[in-house]
Amino acid sequence: MSKQAEQMQILAATSLYCFSSVGMLLFNKLAIQHFPLECSLVWAQLFFSAACLSLFAFPYIHVGSMKDLLRWCMVVPFYCGMLLTSILALKTAPMSLVIVLRNTSPLGTLLIERFYPEPLRISGFMLGSICLMIAGGVMYVTQLPAENWKGIGWVFLNSIIAVVDRLLQRLLLSKEQCPVDISKTGITLINNMVGLLPVGIAAYAKGEIDKLPLVYGTLSHWDKFYIGMTCIIGLTISYTSIWAQSLISATSFLVMINANKFVIIGIEAYGLHSKALNWVQILGASLTVLGGILYGKARQWIEREAERQTLLPKALGK
């Protein structure tokens, strides 16, 4: 694949994932407000994705060996845990709080990636940009009303699980690490189909099965539309997440989605009219977005320098 074709593929994968992630967060928030059975909601999303892939994408499913399948199954608990804790966080916390606190995740990712077979190089400029994002996040959350701090534990747990999930996926997807021989469609199917079991057990343990007929009977047409959209976008985000992470590092992926989701702050403040932002929060959000842009530039410089160092010995050898 040529350099230009690779860059186009990265652009397509990351753009589609960004649109899907914003839509998923928004519709999950709307759905959980009217359908407060979080395990059942996640189970419906997993079932829809697994059913669609089994029916319409079966020819594209490839699993190299049972070893590859078992290796990837390590990811499934973290994938399901990330979905559930995200729903639980949105159930009791504003979307803006969720995405601001998630900006701490790239720092943890960078530390853990040092133990990879091919660790990423870290620069001072990269660390400075992450500190800028964290500082902006701190400015934002210090201005939150006390009632908006509900669910903060779920937000932190979601961030931790997200870091482990992205690192595992990066380790098992990247050509430079220890990739599995499974197609992207196959990985998406495994995540959703295998995830049905633990999420179904959680729904049964919480007594959601008994509550489901009563809660469903109270849903309006709009409520059902929100739930349906979470299922459709859940399918697209499952695939584009795998696609994007096979092309970029886990840290770059986390920073990308964190900066991208600040679009939600504007939607929450001016679209849903559910939150008013003061100037400190606006400044904090702006610093976080700026930190994300600077981080991307730092990554570009490091990759270009690494490429020059790889090409230089070859040139001298000639």
Side-chain angles (χ1 to χ4, degrees):
M1 183 184 296
S2 66
K3 186 70 173 177
Q4 184 177 5
E6 184 179 356
Q7 289 177 344
M8 289 299 296
Q9 187 177 12
I10 292 174
L11 178 62
T14 53
S15 298
L16 287 172
Y17 181 82
C18 286
F19 282 115
S20 298
S21 62
V22 170
M24 193 64 177
L25 190 63
L26 176 60
F27 282 108
N28 268 341
K29 179 66 174 179
L30 294 170
I32 198 62
Q33 288 177 336
H34 304 284
F35 186 74
L37 304 178
E38 56 276 354
C39 294
S40 299
L41 179 59
V42 172
W43 194 91
Q45 295 169 359
L46 295 174
F47 178 80
F48 179 84
S49 297
C52 288
L53 290 169
S54 299
L55 290 172
F56 304 113
F58 192 79
Y60 304 101
I61 296 171
H62 166 77
V63 179
S65 66
M66 181 60 68
K67 181 181 178 181
D68 288 322
L69 174 61
L70 293 176
R71 286 180 66 203
W72 188 264
C73 282
M74 294 188 301
V75 177
V76 175
F78 298 100
Y79 175 76
C80 295
M82 186 173 61
L83 294 179
L84 275 174
T85 53
S86 177
I87 293 289
L88 287 165
L90 290 171
K91 190 175 182 179
T92 52
M95 293 186 293
S96 50
L97 175 61
V98 173
I99 58 178
V100 167
L101 292 182
R102 280 179 180 171
N103 273 302
T104 60
S105 53
L107 182 57
T109 308
L110 275 176
L111 295 175
I112 298 173
E113 278 184 331
R114 305 314 300 161
F115 299 98
Y116 271 21
E118 295 293 335
L120 294 169
R121 189 180 147 225
I122 301 175
S123 69
F125 188 54
M126 185 190 301
L127 291 177
S129 62
I130 291 178
C131 290
L132 185 62
M133 286 189 287
I134 295 174
V138 170
M139 290 179 64
Y140 182 89
V141 298
T142 53
Q143 299 296 310
L144 282 176
E147 62 269 16
N148 285 343
W149 283 86
K150 295 179 181 178
I152 193 171
W154 289 117
V155 179
F156 277 117
L157 181 59
N158 176 258
S159 298
I160 294 170
I161 295 175
V163 168
V164 178
D165 174 75
R166 302 310 181 196
L167 287 169
L168 272 177
Q169 291 200 29
R170 174 63 179 171
L171 184 64
L172 297 175
L173 288 172
S174 174
K175 295 185 290 291
E176 294 80 20
Q177 306 296 340
C178 303
V180 294
D181 183 20
I182 307 177
S183 64
K184 297 179 182 67
T185 308
I187 288 172
T188 308
L189 179 62
I190 293 169
N191 281 345
N192 289 279
M193 185 169 286
V194 178
L196 288 171
L197 180 60
V199 176
I201 293 173
Y204 178 80
K206 289 182 86 276
E208 292 187 9
I209 307 300
D210 297 329
K211 301 175 185 177
L212 186 57
L214 180 61
V215 174
Y216 186 81
T218 63
L219 297 177
S220 67
H221 293 302
W222 277 110
D223 299 336
K224 295 174 184 177
F225 171 75
Y226 299 147
I227 294 172
M229 287 301 297
T230 67
C231 293
I232 295 171
I233 298 175
L235 174 60
T236 63
I237 203 172
S238 296
Y239 182 83
T240 55
S241 170
I242 302 298
W243 187 17
Q245 286 179 95
S246 67
L247 300 172
I248 62 177
S249 73
T251 305
S252 300
F253 184 81
L254 282 170
V255 172
M256 176 191 70
I257 61 177
N258 285 335
N260 163 69
K261 286 180 179 175
F262 269 89
V263 175
I264 290 293
I265 293 178
I267 296 175
E268 189 173 55
Y270 305 109
L272 301 178
H273 304 290
S274 59
K275 180 171 177 57
L277 301 179
N278 59 38
W279 70 269
V280 176
Q281 290 174 304
I282 293 174
L283 178 60
S286 300
L287 288 176
T288 306
V289 173
L290 177 60
I293 295 171
L294 293 176
Y295 179 86
K297 290 295 183 183
R299 288 291 312 163
Q300 282 184 346
W301 292 339
I302 290 175
E303 289 168 1
R304 288 173 182 171
E305 184 177 342
E307 187 175 352
R308 283 197 298 269
Q309 290 176 351
T310 302
L311 295 175
L312 185 59
K314 295 180 180 179
L316 292 176
K318 292 180 181 180

